[in-house]
Amino acid sequence: MPRSLAFALALALALAASATASPARFADTVGEFRADERSVSDSFDLPWSDASFSRRATLVATWDKRLAETPWDALSQEERIDWLLLGNYLKGEIADLDLARKRLAEMAPLLPFHESIQQLTSARLSRTGSDPATSAANLAAIPAPLRSWKEQTEARRKEAATSKAPPPISPSTALRAAAATDAIRQSLEAWFRFHDGYQPDFSWWTRQPYAKAREALEQHAKYLREELAAQKGQPDDPLVGDPIGPDALAAGIARELIPYSASELIAIAEREFAWCEEQLRRAAEAMRCTTKDALETVKRAHVPPGGQADLAAAEAARAIAFLRKHDLVTIPTLCEEIWRLEMIPPDAQKTLPYAVYGQPAMRVAYPTDAMPHEDKLAAMRGNNRHFLRIVTPHELIPGHHLQRFAADRSRTWRSLFSTPFFVEGWALHWEMLFWDLDYAESPEDKVGMLFWRMHRCARIIVSLRFHLGSMSPAEMIDFLVQRVGHETAGATSEVRRYIGGAYGPLYQAAYMLGGLQLRALHRELTAGDRMSQRAFHDAVLAENAIPIALVRASLTSEPLTKTWQPSWKFAE
C-alpha cells in the first residue's frame, strides 16, 4: 500500500476513533439546536403573535423528534447528560409557550388592535407584498376601538369604586398589557420603516393613519400603565407583580429537576429559617443582648462615607486567603487578577439596595451626597461591615466571579441550560461552608452571616407564596422587615425586584435551594475522603451551571436512561 494512502487511512481511522470517543460530540448537536433557536427567534421577532408561537412550537417538535431518534446506547455518560439537558429544555419551552398563550388570552380584551397589526407585520415575514390601501384602512381602524374601550373601562372603574368592588382590570394584567402594547407598537414601527419611502404609493396611503395609530397605541400603553396599574415611575408607586399560579410554578420546579412540590419547598425553607433563628439567639447571647439589639448593633457598624470600596477590597482579600489556607478550590491567576469594583448609582439602588455581581465587577451599594437623608442611613445600615463580610465572597471569589470565569471556559455549550439553582446555589453553598469552617471572627460576624442566610430562606417563602397567590407584596415586605430584620426601604426594593418581571418566578427560591443541593452533594462526595475539598469544587465548576441533579449524576456516574427522572431528595 502506498505510504500516502496508508497515512490517509490511518488518519481517517484516528479521526473516526476520536469522534467516537469525544465527550463533546453531542455538544455539536446542542450547538446546532442553539443556532436553529436563534434563527427562529431572530426571524419571527413578532411579539405575542400566533406566527411566532407556532414557529417556536414547530421547532420544539422537530427537535423533540430528533432527540427521540438519537441512538442512546452510542452516547457516553456526558453525552447522555447533554441529551437529558436538551430534552428538559424542550419541555420547558413547551411550558413557556403554554403560559404565553394563556396570558395572551387574558390580555386579549385589552389589545383590540392585536389581530389587525399581526396581519400587517406577519405579511413581511412571509415575504408577501403589502397593499397600501388595505394597510391604510387597517391602520385607520385602530384608534376608535381604543377610545371606546377606554370609555367603557372608565365607566366600569367608577361603578366599582362606588360599590367598593375590586377594579375591573387587575393592575398586574394592565401592566402586562402595557408592555405587550409597547412591544406590538415597536413591531408595527419596524413594518412601517420597511415600506416607507421605498414604495411611494405606500407612503401616500399610510403615513397619516399610521401616525394616528402609533399615537393611539402610545396613549393606550400609558393609560394601562399609569392609570390602571398606577405605575408612574415614582419611588412610591404601588408594588405590582404578576403571579404565575400553582400549575406554572409546578412546571417550573419540574424544569429545575427538583422532586419537591412548592409547599414542600416552603416547609424546607421554614425549617432552615428556624435553624437560623436559633443560631442568631446564640450569637446575641454571646453579645449579651437580645437578637433585635444584636442586629441593630451590627447595622450601626458601617464605614464612613468614602470607605465602602476599600472595605470590599479588603474583604475580597480575606476570602481568597481563607480559601488558600484550607485548600478549598483552584483560583486561576487571571480570575483573581481581573475582578473589579463599581458603585451602584442612586436610582439603581431602588431595586439594587445591596451589592451585586456584574461580570467582572462587584457592584457596591452605598449612599451618595445627593440621596435623601433617610435613604443614606438605610443604605449605610444595610451595607455594614458585618453584612459585607459574607456578601463579598458570595459575589466575587469563590462565588459568582469564580463561577462565571469557569463557566466561560468549561463545557461552554451548556450555557444554554444555565440555571440560577446552580449560579446562586454555588454562592450559597460557600456561605454555608464558610460558616462550618468558622469564617466568622466574632459574634457580630455571625449575626451578619445569619442575616443573609435568613434572607435566603425568606426569599423562598415569600416568592413561592406570592406566585401561589397566598401572599401580597405588602405582606412580603412585612415578612422581610419583621422576621429577617431588613430596613423597610431595603425590603421594599427587594420585593419590587422579586415581582417586577426582570427575574424568573423561581429565581429568588434558587439561592437557598441550590445551596442545599450543593451542600448535600458536598457531604456525599467528600465523606470518607472520596474527594478532597478542592477536587470536589473544581469538578462541580467543570460541569458548568446546569441543574444540580445532573451535576450529581455526572460526578457519581449514576446510571441514566432516556426516561430518567430526578429522585434525589437532597433536603432529607
Coordinates of all heavy atoms in Angstrom, one line a residue, residues 364-426:
V364 N -21.1 47.7 44.2 CA -21.2 48.0 45.6 C -22.3 49.1 45.9 O -22.3 50.1 45.2 CB -19.9 48.5 46.2 CG1 -20.0 48.8 47.7 CG2 -18.8 47.5 46.0
A365 N -23.2 48.8 46.8 CA -24.2 49.8 47.1 C -23.8 50.6 48.3 O -23.3 50.1 49.4 CB -25.5 49.1 47.5
Y366 N -23.9 52.0 48.2 CA -23.6 52.9 49.3 C -24.2 54.2 48.9 O -24.3 54.6 47.7 CB -22.1 53.0 49.5 CG -21.7 53.5 50.9 CD1 -21.8 52.6 52.0 CD2 -21.3 54.8 51.1 CE1 -21.5 53.0 53.3 CE2 -21.0 55.2 52.4 CZ -21.1 54.4 53.5 OH -20.8 54.8 54.7
P367 N -24.6 55.1 49.9 CA -25.3 56.3 49.5 C -24.3 57.4 48.9 O -23.1 57.3 49.2 CB -25.8 56.8 50.9 CG -24.9 56.1 51.9 CD -24.6 54.8 51.3
T368 N -24.9 58.2 48.1 CA -24.2 59.4 47.6 C -24.7 60.7 48.3 O -25.7 60.6 49.0 CB -24.4 59.6 46.1 OG1 -25.8 59.9 45.9 CG2 -24.1 58.3 45.4
D369 N -24.0 61.8 48.1 CA -24.4 63.0 48.7 C -25.8 63.5 48.3 O -26.4 64.4 48.9 CB -23.3 64.1 48.5 CG -23.0 64.4 47.1 OD1 -23.7 63.7 46.2 OD2 -22.2 65.2 46.8
A370 N -26.2 63.1 47.1 CA -27.5 63.5 46.5 C -28.7 62.8 47.1 O -29.8 63.2 46.8 CB -27.5 63.4 45.0
M371 N -28.5 61.7 47.8 CA -29.6 60.9 48.3 C -30.3 61.6 49.5 O -29.6 62.2 50.3 CB -29.2 59.5 48.6 CG -28.8 58.7 47.4 SD -28.0 57.1 47.7 CE -29.3 56.2 48.5
P372 N -31.6 61.4 49.7 CA -32.3 61.9 50.9 C -31.6 61.3 52.1 O -31.1 60.2 52.1 CB -33.7 61.4 50.7 CG -33.9 61.2 49.3 CD -32.6 60.8 48.7
H373 N -31.7 62.1 53.2 CA -31.1 61.7 54.5 C -31.5 60.3 54.9 O -30.6 59.4 55.3 CB -31.4 62.7 55.6 CG -30.7 62.4 56.9 ND1 -29.3 62.5 57.1 CD2 -31.2 61.9 58.1 CE1 -29.0 62.1 58.3 NE2 -30.2 61.8 58.9
E374 N -32.8 60.0 54.9 CA -33.3 58.7 55.3 C -32.7 57.5 54.5 O -32.4 56.5 55.0 CB -34.8 58.6 55.3 CG -35.5 59.6 56.3 CD -35.5 61.1 55.8 OE1 -35.1 61.3 54.6 OE2 -35.8 61.9 56.6
D375 N -32.6 57.8 53.2 CA -32.1 56.8 52.2 C -30.6 56.5 52.5 O -30.1 55.4 52.4 CB -32.3 57.2 50.8 CG -33.8 57.2 50.4 OD1 -34.6 56.6 51.2 OD2 -34.1 57.7 49.3
K376 N -29.9 57.6 52.8 CA -28.5 57.5 53.2 C -28.3 56.5 54.3 O -27.5 55.6 54.3 CB -27.9 58.8 53.5 CG -27.6 59.8 52.3 CD -27.0 61.1 52.8 CE -26.8 62.1 51.7 NZ -26.3 63.3 52.1
L377 N -29.0 56.8 55.4 CA -28.9 56.0 56.6 C -29.3 54.5 56.3 O -28.6 53.6 56.8 CB -29.8 56.5 57.7 CG -29.4 57.9 58.2 CD1 -30.4 58.4 59.3 CD2 -28.0 57.9 58.8
A378 N -30.4 54.3 55.6 CA -30.8 52.9 55.2 C -29.7 52.2 54.4 O -29.4 51.0 54.6 CB -32.1 53.0 54.5
A379 N -29.1 52.9 53.5 CA -28.1 52.3 52.6 C -26.8 52.0 53.4 O -26.2 50.9 53.2 CB -27.7 53.2 51.5
M380 N -26.4 52.8 54.3 CA -25.2 52.5 55.2 C -25.5 51.4 56.1 O -24.7 50.5 56.3 CB -24.8 53.8 56.0 CG -24.2 54.8 55.1 SD -23.4 56.2 56.1 CE -24.9 57.0 56.8
R381 N -26.7 51.4 56.7 CA -27.0 50.3 57.7 C -27.2 49.0 57.0 O -26.7 47.9 57.5 CB -28.3 50.7 58.4 CG -28.2 51.8 59.4 CD -29.6 52.4 59.8 NE -30.5 51.3 60.3 CZ -30.5 50.9 61.6 NH1 -29.6 51.4 62.5 NH2 -31.3 50.0 62.0
G382 N -27.7 49.0 55.8 CA -27.9 47.7 55.0 C -26.7 47.2 54.4 O -26.6 46.1 53.9
N383 N -25.6 48.0 54.4 CA -24.3 47.6 53.8 C -23.2 47.7 54.8 O -22.1 48.1 54.4 CB -24.1 48.4 52.5 CG -25.0 48.1 51.4 OD1 -24.9 47.1 50.7 ND2 -26.1 48.9 51.3
N384 N -23.4 47.3 56.0 CA -22.4 47.5 57.1 C -21.3 46.4 56.9 O -21.4 45.5 56.1 CB -23.1 47.3 58.5 CG -23.7 45.9 58.6 OD1 -23.1 44.9 58.8 ND2 -25.1 45.9 58.5
R385 N -20.3 46.6 57.7 CA -19.1 45.7 57.5 C -19.4 44.3 57.8 O -18.7 43.4 57.2 CB -17.9 46.3 58.4 CG -18.1 46.2 59.8 CD -16.9 46.6 60.6 NE -16.5 48.0 60.4 CZ -15.5 48.4 59.7 NH1 -14.7 47.5 59.1 NH2 -15.2 49.7 59.6
H386 N -20.2 43.9 58.7 CA -20.5 42.5 59.0 C -21.4 41.9 58.0 O -21.2 40.7 57.7 CB -21.1 42.4 60.4 CG -20.3 43.0 61.5 ND1 -19.1 42.4 61.9 CD2 -20.4 44.1 62.3 CE1 -18.5 43.1 62.8 NE2 -19.3 44.1 63.1
F387 N -22.3 42.6 57.4 CA -23.1 42.1 56.3 C -22.1 41.9 55.1 O -22.2 40.8 54.4 CB -24.1 43.1 55.8 CG -25.4 43.1 56.7 CD1 -25.4 42.4 57.9 CD2 -26.5 43.8 56.3 CE1 -26.5 42.4 58.8 CE2 -27.7 43.8 57.1 CZ -27.6 43.1 58.4
L388 N -21.2 42.8 54.8 CA -20.3 42.7 53.7 C -19.3 41.6 53.8 O -18.7 41.1 52.8 CB -19.6 44.1 53.5 CG -19.1 44.3 52.0 CD1 -20.3 44.5 51.1 CD2 -18.3 45.6 52.0
R389 N -19.1 41.2 55.1 CA -18.1 40.1 55.3 C -18.4 38.9 54.5 O -17.5 38.2 54.0 CB -18.1 39.8 56.8 CG -17.2 38.6 57.3 CD -15.7 38.8 57.0 NE -15.3 40.1 57.5 CZ -14.8 40.3 58.8 NH1 -14.8 39.4 59.7 NH2 -14.4 41.5 59.1
I390 N -19.7 38.5 54.4 CA -20.0 37.3 53.6 C -20.6 37.6 52.3 O -20.5 36.8 51.3 CB -21.0 36.4 54.4 CG1 -21.1 35.0 53.9 CG2 -22.4 37.0 54.4 CD1 -19.8 34.3 54.0
V391 N -21.1 38.8 52.1 CA -21.5 39.3 50.7 C -20.4 39.3 49.7 O -20.6 38.8 48.6 CB -22.2 40.7 50.8 CG1 -22.4 41.2 49.4 CG2 -23.5 40.6 51.5
T392 N -19.2 39.7 50.1 CA -18.1 39.8 49.2 C -17.7 38.5 48.6 O -17.5 38.3 47.4 CB -16.9 40.5 49.9 OG1 -17.4 41.8 50.4 CG2 -15.8 40.8 48.9
P393 N -17.4 37.4 49.4 CA -17.1 36.1 48.8 C -18.2 35.6 48.0 O -18.0 34.8 47.1 CB -16.7 35.3 50.0 CG -17.3 35.9 51.2 CD -17.2 37.4 50.9
H394 N -19.5 35.9 48.4 CA -20.6 35.4 47.6 C -20.6 36.0 46.2 O -20.8 35.3 45.2 CB -21.9 35.9 48.3 CG -23.2 35.6 47.6 ND1 -24.1 34.7 48.0 CD2 -23.7 36.1 46.4 CE1 -25.1 34.7 47.2 NE2 -24.9 35.5 46.2
E395 N -20.2 37.3 46.1 CA -20.2 37.9 44.8 C -18.9 37.7 44.0 O -19.0 37.6 42.7 CB -20.4 39.4 44.9 CG -21.7 39.8 45.7 CD -23.0 39.4 45.0 OE1 -22.9 39.0 43.8 OE2 -24.1 39.5 45.6
L396 N -17.8 37.6 44.6 CA -16.5 37.5 43.9 C -15.9 36.1 43.9 O -16.3 35.2 43.2 CB -15.6 38.6 44.5 CG -15.9 40.0 44.2 CD1 -15.0 41.0 44.9 CD2 -15.9 40.3 42.7
I397 N -15.0 35.9 44.8 CA -14.3 34.6 44.9 C -14.4 34.1 46.3 O -14.1 34.8 47.2 CB -12.8 34.7 44.5 CG1 -12.6 35.3 43.1 CG2 -12.0 33.4 44.7 CD1 -11.2 35.6 42.8
P398 N -15.0 32.9 46.4 CA -15.3 31.8 45.5 C -16.6 31.8 44.8 O -17.0 30.8 44.1 CB -15.2 30.6 46.3 CG -15.8 31.0 47.6 CD -15.4 32.4 47.8
G399 N -17.4 32.9 44.9 CA -18.8 33.0 44.4 C -18.9 33.2 42.9 O -18.3 32.5 42.1
H400 N -19.7 34.2 42.6 CA -20.1 34.4 41.2 C -19.0 34.7 40.2 O -19.0 34.2 39.1 CB -21.1 35.6 41.1 CG -22.4 35.2 41.8 ND1 -23.0 34.0 41.7 CD2 -23.2 36.0 42.6 CE1 -24.2 34.0 42.3 NE2 -24.3 35.2 42.9
H401 N -18.0 35.4 40.7 CA -16.9 35.7 39.8 C -16.1 34.5 39.4 O -15.9 34.3 38.2 CB -15.9 36.8 40.4 CG -14.8 37.1 39.5 ND1 -14.9 37.9 38.4 CD2 -13.4 36.9 39.6 CE1 -13.8 38.0 37.8 NE2 -12.8 37.5 38.5
L402 N -15.8 33.7 40.3 CA -15.1 32.4 40.0 C -16.0 31.5 39.2 O -15.5 30.9 38.2 CB -14.6 31.7 41.3 CG -13.9 30.4 41.1 CD1 -12.7 30.5 40.3 CD2 -13.6 29.7 42.5
Q403 N -17.2 31.4 39.6 CA -18.2 30.5 38.9 C -18.3 30.9 37.4 O -18.3 30.1 36.5 CB -19.5 30.5 39.6 CG -20.6 29.6 39.0 CD -21.4 30.3 37.9 OE1 -21.6 31.5 37.9 NE2 -21.7 29.5 36.9
R404 N -18.5 32.3 37.2 CA -18.6 32.7 35.8 C -17.3 32.5 35.0 O -17.4 32.2 33.8 CB -19.0 34.2 35.8 CG -19.3 34.8 34.5 CD -20.5 34.1 33.8 NE -20.6 34.6 32.4 CZ -21.5 35.6 32.1 NH1 -22.2 36.2 33.1 NH2 -21.6 36.1 30.9
F405 N -16.2 32.8 35.6 CA -14.9 32.6 35.0 C -14.8 31.1 34.5 O -14.4 30.8 33.4 CB -13.8 32.9 36.0 CG -12.4 32.8 35.4 CD1 -11.8 34.0 34.8 CD2 -11.7 31.7 35.4 CE1 -10.5 34.0 34.3 CE2 -10.4 31.6 34.8 CZ -9.8 32.8 34.3
A406 N -15.2 30.2 35.4 CA -15.1 28.7 35.0 C -16.1 28.4 33.9 O -15.8 27.6 33.0 CB -15.3 27.9 36.2
A407 N -17.3 28.9 34.0 CA -18.4 28.6 33.0 C -18.0 29.1 31.6 O -18.4 28.5 30.6 CB -19.7 29.3 33.5
D408 N -17.2 30.1 31.5 CA -16.8 30.7 30.2 C -15.7 29.8 29.6 O -15.3 30.0 28.5 CB -16.3 32.1 30.4 CG -17.4 33.1 30.6 OD1 -18.6 32.7 30.3 OD2 -17.1 34.2 31.0
R409 N -15.2 28.8 30.4 CA -14.0 28.0 29.9 C -14.2 26.5 30.0 O -13.3 25.8 29.6 CB -12.8 28.4 30.8 CG -12.3 29.8 30.5 CD -11.5 30.4 31.6 NE -10.9 31.7 31.2 CZ -11.6 32.8 31.3 NH1 -12.9 32.8 31.8 NH2 -11.1 34.0 31.0
S410 N -15.3 26.1 30.4 CA -15.5 24.6 30.6 C -16.9 24.2 30.1 O -17.9 24.8 30.6 CB -15.3 24.2 32.0 OG -15.5 22.8 32.2
R411 N -17.0 23.3 29.2 CA -18.3 22.8 28.6 C -19.2 24.0 28.3 O -20.4 24.1 28.7 CB -19.0 21.9 29.6 CG -18.2 20.6 29.8 CD -18.8 19.7 30.9 NE -18.2 18.4 30.9 CZ -17.2 18.1 31.7 NH1 -16.6 19.0 32.5 NH2 -16.6 16.8 31.7
T412 N -18.7 24.9 27.5 CA -19.4 26.2 27.2 C -20.7 26.0 26.5 O -21.5 26.8 26.6 CB -18.4 27.1 26.4 OG1 -18.0 26.4 25.2 CG2 -17.2 27.5 27.2
W413 N -20.8 24.9 25.8 CA -22.1 24.7 25.1 C -23.3 24.5 26.1 O -24.4 24.8 25.7 CB -22.0 23.4 24.2 CG -21.8 22.1 25.0 CD1 -22.8 21.3 25.4 CD2 -20.6 21.5 25.3 NE1 -22.3 20.2 26.1 CE2 -20.9 20.3 26.0 CE3 -19.3 21.8 25.1 CZ2 -19.9 19.5 26.5 CZ3 -18.3 21.0 25.6 CH2 -18.6 19.8 26.2
R414 N -23.0 24.2 27.3 CA -24.0 24.1 28.3 C -24.6 25.4 28.9 O -25.5 25.4 29.7 CB -23.5 23.2 29.5 CG -23.3 21.7 29.1 CD -22.9 20.9 30.3 NE -22.9 19.5 30.0 CZ -22.4 18.6 30.8 NH1 -21.9 18.9 32.0 NH2 -22.4 17.3 30.5
S415 N -24.0 26.5 28.4 CA -24.6 27.8 28.9 C -26.0 27.9 28.5 O -26.8 28.7 29.2 CB -23.7 28.9 28.3 OG -23.8 28.9 26.9
L416 N -26.5 27.2 27.5 CA -27.9 27.2 27.1 C -28.8 26.7 28.3 O -29.9 27.2 28.4 CB -28.1 26.3 25.9 CG -29.6 26.1 25.4 CD1 -30.1 27.4 24.9 CD2 -29.6 24.9 24.4
F417 N -28.2 25.9 29.1 CA -29.0 25.2 30.2 C -28.7 25.9 31.6 O -29.1 25.3 32.6 CB -28.7 23.7 30.2 CG -28.7 23.1 28.9 CD1 -27.6 22.5 28.4 CD2 -29.9 23.1 28.1 CE1 -27.6 21.9 27.1 CE2 -29.9 22.5 26.9 CZ -28.7 21.8 26.4
S418 N -28.1 27.0 31.6 CA -27.7 27.7 32.8 C -29.0 27.9 33.7 O -30.0 28.3 33.2 CB -27.1 29.0 32.6 OG -26.7 29.6 33.8
T419 N -28.8 27.6 35.0 CA -29.9 27.7 35.9 C -29.5 28.5 37.2 O -28.3 28.3 37.7 CB -30.4 26.4 36.4 OG1 -31.3 26.5 37.5 CG2 -29.3 25.4 36.7
P420 N -30.3 29.4 37.7 CA -30.0 30.1 39.0 C -29.8 29.1 40.1 O -29.1 29.5 41.1 CB -31.1 31.1 39.2 CG -32.3 30.4 38.4 CD -31.7 29.8 37.2
F421 N -30.4 27.9 40.0 CA -30.2 27.0 41.1 C -28.7 26.6 41.3 O -28.2 26.3 42.3 CB -31.1 25.8 41.0 CG -32.5 26.0 41.3 CD1 -33.3 26.7 40.5 CD2 -33.0 25.6 42.5 CE1 -34.6 27.0 40.8 CE2 -34.3 25.9 42.9 CZ -35.2 26.6 42.0
F422 N -28.0 26.6 40.1 CA -26.5 26.4 40.2 C -25.8 27.7 40.5 O -25.0 27.8 41.4 CB -26.0 25.8 38.9 CG -24.5 25.5 39.0 CD1 -24.1 24.2 39.1 CD2 -23.6 26.5 38.9 CE1 -22.8 23.9 39.2 CE2 -22.2 26.2 38.9 CZ -21.8 24.9 39.1
V423 N -26.1 28.7 39.7 CA -25.4 30.0 39.8 C -25.5 30.6 41.2 O -24.5 30.9 41.8 CB -25.9 31.0 38.7 CG1 -25.3 32.4 38.9 CG2 -25.7 30.5 37.3
E424 N -26.7 30.7 41.7 CA -26.9 31.3 43.1 C -26.6 30.2 44.1 O -26.2 30.5 45.2 CB -28.3 31.9 43.2 CG -28.6 33.0 42.2 CD -27.8 34.2 42.4 OE1 -27.0 34.3 43.4 OE2 -27.9 35.2 41.6
G425 N -27.0 29.0 43.8 CA -26.7 27.9 44.8 C -25.3 27.7 45.1 O -24.9 27.4 46.2
W426 N -24.4 27.9 44.0 CA -23.0 27.8 44.2 C -22.5 28.9 45.3 O -21.7 28.5 46.2 CB -22.3 28.1 42.9 CG -20.8 28.3 43.0 CD1 -20.1 29.5 42.9 CD2 -19.8 27.2 43.0 NE1 -18.8 29.2 43.0 CE2 -18.5 27.9 43.1 CE3 -19.8 25.9 43.1 CZ2 -17.3 27.2 43.2 CZ3 -18.6 25.2 43.2 CH2 -17.4 25.8 43.2

